[in-house]
Amino acid sequence: APWYALPRLDARAWARIALGTVLATFLGAFLGSYALLATPVALCLTLGSLGPVYSLPLVWAMKGERVSGRAVAGTVVAFAGVAVF
């Protein structure tokens, strides 16, 4: 198949893709904007900057990827820095 051809998926798979696109694109932006209005800016920015800290255990739990010691150490340092802040 050429590189530009869409994959052949059933209707359920396309529905899941569409739902994921809507949730990630619109709902994420909406909730982020609402968080800026509903919480103090410092708290919202602090929690927003912890994305890598949240993603490390999720990638291990959901995808089973190995996490390096450096990544764990960086996560601990980042979390400690936020806790001190």
Side-chain angles (χ1 to χ4, degrees):
W3 63 269
Y4 54 83
L6 290 175
R8 296 191 184 272
L9 300 174
D10 61 354
R12 182 180 171 130
W14 281 114
R16 290 176 65 191
I17 290 170
L19 178 65
T21 302
V22 168
L23 290 178
T25 304
F26 301 110
L27 189 62
F30 172 75
L31 291 176
S33 298
Y34 181 74
L36 283 172
L37 292 172
T39 60
V41 173
L43 177 63
C44 188
L45 292 176
T46 302
L47 293 175
S49 67
L50 286 175
V53 174
Y54 298 142
S55 66
L56 191 66
L58 287 175
V59 77
W60 172 75
M62 295 175 73
K63 296 184 83 178
E65 291 184 15
R66 286 192 56 150
V67 179
S68 69
R70 288 179 61 183
V72 172
T75 299
V76 169
V77 168
F79 191 74
V82 170
V84 169
F85 179 60

